[in-house]
Amino acid sequence: MLKYFINIVLLLLLAAGCQKPTEAVLTNGQLTQITTSGAVQLVNSKGEPVLMIDGQEIDSDDIIDEPAQLKDLYMIPGQYLEIIAQSMDFEEFKEKIKDPLTIILENKIRYILMYNSAKKQFKDRLDESLDKAVESEMRRFYLQFGGDRAKADLAIEQKWIDIESYKKLIRKEILEQWYLSSQETSGGFITYRELKRQYDSMKDEFFAVTGMIEFRLIDIQPAKLKIPDPNMDRAQYSEELATEIFVRLKSGEDFAELATQYSSGPKKQFGGLWDPMNPESLAEPYDAIAKAAQNMNPGDISEPIKAGAHIFIVKLEDKRKAGYEPFENVQQQVRLALISKQNTSDALNKLEEYVDQQMKLDETNSFIDFCLEKIYRESTREEK
């Protein structure tokens, strides 16, 4: 079902309004003519052109038959382009498909360059190290499904064709991170303005400080109080008790002892002491405590606070306002992040510059043309 859907999407995007081919299918001689008449000189055992990139060959099967990623689409190019080839003549097919096929080739060249760069660092241990890293990421992926491998495998097959293709995608991502992290550190001068700009871009994710309050609480709940006189109004008695306790606290009596004696809350046995928490996490009616804490300093004791079916008396033990770690405290972290960012940018620019050089060569363009003709010939031949 997924393959059918992707084929239809590709057809709508690339072949809308196209007619059936009217040309004859290319012959073997026409297909391989590009090898002898173009700029491609290297050929493989089948007499087909190949590209030589950093000492490694790329042939048409590497481009046509290996799973590749185009934006969010993960596909086998030859398989998914068949229906498009069968819906238009060759010139139109070439015009519409050359750019996507060029992107696939560019990604292949990048992978070879990054792999060879990592090979210099890891030598014979590279493939083993990559395999271990991939398996580690796979275990993390399975944990997202509660360890249900069957469910996880199904999710992979629905999006990435098959498990091995998904592993290749992870392998490529790991290799890219290794490549970028292995490049030499930039030695350029960094200005204060650049550091501040980097700090501003990082602070929400890395340097945000949540608000925090730590407090003791006497929680008087009228419904739970034992009234000495049944004729007394329970609410009035609670208010009088809260006022009495507040006066005793102001005269120097111990808050924890009074909380243990009079509080009805869940922290009574701990002297009313609550764990440090974000004040925004306090729900009704306890959010009244957070409001009171805004105007309190550590050591302050609040007057009785009516909140729903409760009367609170709060002693603020500690307080931290929400905000950010000051720039001066994290400047070195910011500097390292900026250097890493510049380093990554420099490494990517160098890599892209080399890839662009390769893509401008006549040999590369001829190779892409050959791959297009091969896909078209095999697709239209199967149709007939």
Side-chain angles (χ1 to χ4, degrees):
M1 184 66 182
L2 180 65
K3 293 180 180 179
Y4 173 79
F5 174 76
I6 294 176
N7 277 331
I8 294 300
V9 171
L10 283 171
L11 180 61
L12 291 173
L13 290 175
L14 301 177
C18 299
Q19 303 297 321
K20 297 291 291 181
T22 57
E23 300 180 347
V25 177
L26 296 174
T27 65
N28 285 335
Q30 290 172 323
L31 179 62
T32 58
Q33 184 178 3
I34 187 173
T35 306
T36 57
S37 63
V40 176
Q41 301 298 323
L42 294 173
V43 297
N44 59 17
S45 60
K46 295 185 291 186
E48 295 182 348
V50 298
L51 287 181
M52 183 68 72
I53 302 295
D54 204 18
Q56 185 171 332
E57 289 185 359
I58 301 178
D59 62 24
S60 60
D61 291 340
D62 294 328
I63 303 302
I64 297 172
D65 297 329
E66 289 193 7
Q69 187 175 16
L70 279 173
K71 295 185 179 179
D72 294 331
L73 178 63
Y74 203 71
M75 65 177 184
I76 297 175
Q79 175 183 341
Y80 286 90
L81 297 178
E82 284 180 5
I83 190 171
I84 299 174
Q86 295 168 6
S87 304
M88 60 187 73
D89 61 37
F90 175 68
E91 290 303 321
E92 190 171 8
F93 174 77
K94 180 177 178 181
E95 179 183 352
K96 292 185 178 294
I97 302 302
K98 187 166 186 175
D99 284 346
L101 210 65
T102 299
I103 293 173
I104 292 173
L105 178 58
E106 288 176 343
N107 290 335
K108 185 72 175 179
I109 292 175
R110 286 189 193 93
Y111 182 85
I112 290 174
L113 295 174
M114 290 188 295
Y115 180 89
N116 288 348
S117 177
K119 188 79 171 177
K120 295 176 183 178
Q121 178 182 356
F122 289 89
K123 303 187 184 308
D124 294 337
R125 297 180 292 107
L126 176 59
D127 290 323
E128 180 182 355
S129 299
L130 278 172
D131 289 341
K132 289 181 179 179
V134 169
E135 289 306 316
S136 177
E137 289 301 315
M138 289 297 294
R139 286 192 292 270
R140 291 186 185 181
F141 181 81
Y142 286 131
L143 285 176
Q144 297 177 23
F145 293 84
D148 188 338
R149 294 185 67 116
K151 189 175 181 180
D153 290 346
L154 179 60
I156 290 173
E157 292 171 359
Q158 289 177 336
K159 187 172 183 180
W160 290 286
I161 303 175
D162 55 49
I163 297 173
E164 289 306 313
S165 297
Y166 180 59
K167 286 184 177 181
K168 288 181 180 179
L169 179 62
I170 294 177
R171 188 184 183 94
K172 178 183 176 183
E173 292 175 349
I174 293 172
L175 188 63
E176 181 176 348
Q177 292 303 314
W178 283 359
Y179 172 79
L180 294 177
S181 64
S182 67
Q183 304 306 298
E184 292 184 1
T185 306
S186 173
F189 178 74
I190 297 176
T191 67
Y192 179 82
R193 179 177 294 182
E194 288 174 324
L195 285 173
K196 283 289 290 182
R197 189 181 300 120
Q198 180 68 22
Y199 168 78
D200 290 337
S201 70
M202 296 174 63
K203 65 181 184 180
D204 286 333
E205 182 176 1
F206 296 101
F207 305 132
V209 176
T210 58
M212 182 277 293
I213 56 174
E214 184 179 8
F215 58 90
R216 291 185 184 271
L217 178 67
I218 297 176
D219 182 358
I220 299 173
Q221 300 179 30
K224 296 182 179 180
L225 287 178
K226 293 181 180 180
I227 306 298
D229 184 349
N231 297 319
M232 292 183 65
D233 180 84
R234 187 174 292 272
Q236 181 181 352
Y237 175 75
S238 301
E239 292 178 13
E240 291 175 354
L241 177 62
T243 300
E244 177 190 338
I245 294 172
F246 178 70
V247 171
R248 292 169 65 180
L249 289 169
K250 283 297 186 180
S251 67
E253 291 195 42
D254 185 71
F255 194 101
E257 290 183 6
L258 292 178
T260 302
Q261 183 177 355
Y262 292 105
S263 182
S264 299
K267 303 295 184 178
K268 173 180 180 177
Q269 60 181 324
F270 303 107
L273 181 63
W274 285 52
D275 295 330
M277 64 178 59
N278 184 343
E280 295 180 2
S281 67
L282 288 168
E284 291 185 0
Y286 297 97
D287 58 337
I289 298 170
K291 293 177 182 177
Q294 292 178 359
N295 300 315
M296 297 173 64
N297 295 314
D300 288 351
I301 297 175
S302 72
E303 293 186 3
I305 303 167
K306 291 183 180 181
H310 301 255
I311 300 177
F312 297 138
I313 301 176
V314 180
K315 180 182 180 182
L316 189 64
E317 297 286 345
D318 197 5
K319 177 180 179 180
R320 181 181 68 205
K321 292 183 179 181
Y324 300 97
E325 288 283 352
F327 169 72
E328 292 74 16
N329 293 353
V330 295
Q331 187 170 340
Q332 184 60 20
Q333 292 173 250
V334 174
R335 180 180 296 276
L336 291 175
L338 182 55
I339 290 173
S340 176
K341 180 180 177 180
Q342 292 177 342
N343 177 50
T344 297
S345 178
D346 291 344
L348 286 175
N349 288 339
K350 291 178 182 177
L351 182 64
E352 291 306 312
E353 183 179 348
Y354 185 86
V355 172
D356 288 343
Q357 290 175 355
Q358 297 301 311
M359 299 307 297
K360 292 176 181 178
L361 296 176
D362 291 339
E363 290 86 349
T364 304
N365 289 319
S366 297
F367 176 74
I368 293 173
D369 287 343
F370 173 81
C371 292
L372 288 166
E373 292 200 29
K374 184 175 180 179
I375 293 172
Y376 189 82
R377 185 190 69 159
E378 294 183 351
S379 300
T380 52
R381 179 181 62 193
E382 290 175 3
E383 181 195 21
K384 288 193 172 185

